[in-house]
Amino acid sequence: SSDLHYLLAVEPNPEMTAVTFVETLVGCLAMGNCYAQIERNELKQPVALWPLNPQRTEPVRLPDHTLAFKTYDGESDGRFRIVKSADMIHVPLFSVSGRKGLSPILQAKQALGLAKAAELFGARLFGNDTRGGGLLMNKGPKPDPKTQKEMRESWQEQSGGTNHGKMK
């Protein structure tokens, strides 16, 4: 319809141009999802499109098993409202559930964190010449502290690395 074309091409709502609206939705995709609530008149015709904050909006299943959207956007004091699927435009990025997109920023953050952890583990492993720690046991009487220290240092020189896996 020409009304829908006007909303998408010229003015989606009284506060935004179409360009600003699209930029807002594309920016929200960086968080994995973009949402726009469809405002309708008494004849159920679309009269405005309002972007919603993806950090304050999420898909939910209602008791009758229909999909809807719970949003805190525009609400106060912890209140929320439920928006029917027919009144929502939702564009998720890659999704494992089909209902909520995964944020490429959070996915990259997790991948970088895992890479850093693997790097630190590898540095410790190779810094120890890939040898693990151990336990020295003596079947005779317990040696004095000086002898224990000498035994530990001797073992460390022969088989240990500089840090990880030292004898205790």
Side-chain angles (χ1 to χ4, degrees):
S1 81
S2 62
D3 292 339
L4 187 55
H5 178 266
Y6 181 81
L7 290 176
L8 292 171
V10 180
E11 186 179 281
N13 63 61
E15 299 173 3
M16 299 178 141
T17 65
V19 172
T20 303
F21 178 75
V22 170
E23 287 175 345
T24 301
L25 295 183
V26 170
C28 289
L29 278 176
M31 292 181 263
N33 297 274
C34 69
Y35 301 96
Q37 185 172 354
I38 304 167
E39 181 184 340
R40 298 179 186 275
N41 64 16
E42 60 279 347
L43 299 175
K44 304 289 184 199
Q45 298 167 320
V47 294
L49 302 172
W50 297 96
L52 298 177
N53 184 335
Q55 293 179 314
R56 299 183 54 82
T57 306
E58 65 181 351
V60 294
R61 284 272 172 218
L62 297 178
D64 66 359
H65 303 290
T66 59
L67 182 65
F69 297 87
K70 179 179 183 178
T71 186
Y72 294 87
D73 197 357
E75 303 294 328
S76 60
D77 299 327
R79 290 181 290 176
F80 62 88
R81 67 183 183 279
I82 299 293
V83 180
K84 297 182 295 185
S85 290
D87 293 328
M88 183 71 77
I89 297 170
H90 174 214
V91 180
L93 280 183
F94 175 76
S95 174
V96 293
S97 69
R99 288 192 311 246
K100 191 167 183 179
L102 299 173
S103 166
I105 294 171
L106 291 178
Q107 297 303 306
K109 178 183 172 186
Q110 290 177 347
L112 289 172
L114 180 59
K116 184 66 176 173
E119 180 184 335
L120 292 173
F121 175 80
R124 284 193 309 267
L125 180 66
F126 290 113
N128 194 34
D129 198 22
T130 67
R131 295 184 184 149
L135 176 66
L136 289 176
M137 297 182 71
N138 179 19
K139 291 187 178 188
K142 184 176 180 179
D144 61 80
K146 181 178 182 234
T147 305
Q148 288 178 21
K149 182 180 178 193
E150 289 170 355
M151 290 171 62
R152 186 173 31 254
E153 288 172 354
S154 173
W155 180 268
Q156 187 67 35
E157 286 176 24
Q158 296 298 315
S159 64
T162 56
N163 293 311
H164 187 71
K166 285 185 176 180
M167 295 285 130
K168 301 264 181 187

